[in-house]
Amino acid sequence: MQRESTPRHRPGGGLPRVTTLILAAAAGLGVANIYFAHPLLDAMARDFGIPPAAIGLVVTLTQLGYGVGLIVLVPLGDLVDRRRLVVGQGVLSAVALAAVATARTEAILFAGMAAVGLLAVVVQVLVSFAATLATPAERGKAVGMVTSGVVIGILGARSVAGLLADLGGWRAVYLASAALALAMAGLLWRVLPRNLPPDSTDSYTSALRSIPILFLTDRLLLVRGVLALLIFAAFSAFWTALVLPLSAEPFGYSHTQIGLFGLVGMAGAIAATGAGRLADRGLGQWTTGVSLTLLLASWGLIALLPKSIPALLVGVVLLDLAVQAVHVSNQSIIFDRHPQARSRLVGGYMVFYALGSAIGALAATKAYAHAGWAGVSTLGAAISAAAWLTWAFTRHWLISGTRAGRAMCDGVPALCRTDPVARNAGGP
């Protein structure tokens, strides 16, 4: 598979731990770019004179850019040299982040944030890259470690952004991230294996066409995608709106103090990484149901924010534990469906995630503008209830493997010649 063998990647011997850790760090840095804005929305709104009800557009455009990238960029991971793809995205991310940091008009800010989201999909290329490089016996562990880096990046972004913003303003956050993105691109260029052949010989057009076919013909994928949309809508609604009441009276917290709430949520999110092991034991459905129940319950505690910060903190832990447990279960389940199309699978799945995050961010700021924190809590509880009902009404679905396989082969023949899962698709 390679012309050279280095300590960074042992052909037939799996993925070295140091390379896995670098991939996890790169994934964490990449995904953090999407979430830096959450505790900075009030500062951005003041700087550009954007009304509070509309500032959620910053997050929404970032997530929409991310969704576009999942469709047009992530599938390339099955078709081209992933090393060049990852490094190229890293360099361009540095440019986009620098543009945000130096923006002087709303138009440049919004365009820059959309570009940041578009290029942040390098995270999903890294996840599928780790799955490809790892041996079957260590694949779950490798993917879990990179996913842990993603979780830490999502939640740690708020704390880091808050601290840097208090020290040097919100623009310093994006300048620092631009420098880190460029440095990480150079490190990945050195450590990632060279000359690995792509996983698929499909054309780019065929690869794009196969994504909706995979999800529309396999109910497992579709249901897991819908669940991703709903849980991340709830997640984004909470984290986008949280800065608004905490930065106002009677709290008046600084960006650093608000960012510390992300560290609290990190404890629950990291604990959820064990959900993948439960899914490997056939308990994916049970884990999903329990997690969605916790997600719904968390909003009862979150709604107590005006009266009780301790109750809010417990709610944060439960919310992040539940969301990440469902997310890890989803990925554990879908990655084994079509091994030759891992980049396309994760790209398609994460489109649901991005749409949910964008919807939650925009809806939360509008709910807060019209009904305060009670409106945000009601919104989050309603979305969480919809996710629980989706799971409850579909947990016993089972579709015919023959019918699913035939449908997939009609649209994606290359996959069906080599992928036995396409001939034996099961329920969610």
Side-chain angles (χ1 to χ4, degrees), residues 346-400:
V346 72
Y349 167 77
M350 294 300 290
V351 166
F352 291 93
Y353 156 97
L355 287 174
S357 295
I359 292 169
L362 190 59
T365 51
K366 290 187 177 298
Y368 185 81
H370 290 91
W373 189 250
V376 175
S377 299
T378 301
L379 172 68
I383 295 171
S384 302
W388 190 92
L389 290 172
T390 298
W391 167 80
F393 283 113
T394 62
R395 69 186 189 277
H396 296 307
W397 278 11
L398 185 66
I399 60 175
S400 165

Side-chain angles (χ1 to χ4, degrees), residues 136-218:
E138 68 178 5
R139 183 167 294 132
K141 179 181 178 181
V143 171
M145 187 175 294
V146 177
T147 301
S148 294
V150 174
V151 172
I152 293 172
I154 290 174
L155 297 173
R158 297 173 176 84
S159 299
V160 172
L163 178 60
L164 289 178
D166 283 340
L167 292 175
W170 71 267
R171 296 178 186 274
V173 176
Y174 290 95
L175 282 175
S177 186
L180 285 173
L182 200 58
M184 181 56 72
L187 180 59
L188 290 171
W189 179 258
R190 289 182 59 84
V191 304
L192 291 180
R194 296 163 172 77
N195 306 315
L196 287 179
D199 290 336
S200 173
T201 58
D202 289 348
S203 68
Y204 180 63
T205 301
S206 297
L208 293 182
R209 183 166 54 88
S210 70
I211 297 174
I213 293 173
L214 286 168
F215 280 84
L216 292 175
T217 55
D218 188 333

Side-chain angles (χ1 to χ4, degrees), residues 247-321:
S247 61
E249 295 298 332
F251 301 107
Y253 288 166
S254 68
H255 290 112
T256 299
Q257 291 172 313
I258 295 172
L260 291 176
F261 282 81
L263 297 182
V264 175
M266 193 183 298
I270 292 175
T273 56
R277 291 191 292 272
L278 293 176
D280 291 338
R281 298 173 184 172
L283 298 174
Q285 280 285 35
W286 178 86
T287 303
T288 300
V290 171
S291 300
L292 291 174
T293 302
L294 291 176
L295 178 62
L296 183 57
S298 72
W299 285 100
L301 297 170
I302 289 169
L304 299 176
L305 169 60
K307 300 178 180 178
S308 175
I309 291 294
L312 172 69
L313 294 177
V314 175
V316 170
V317 173
L318 289 179
L319 181 140
D320 284 351
L321 169 64

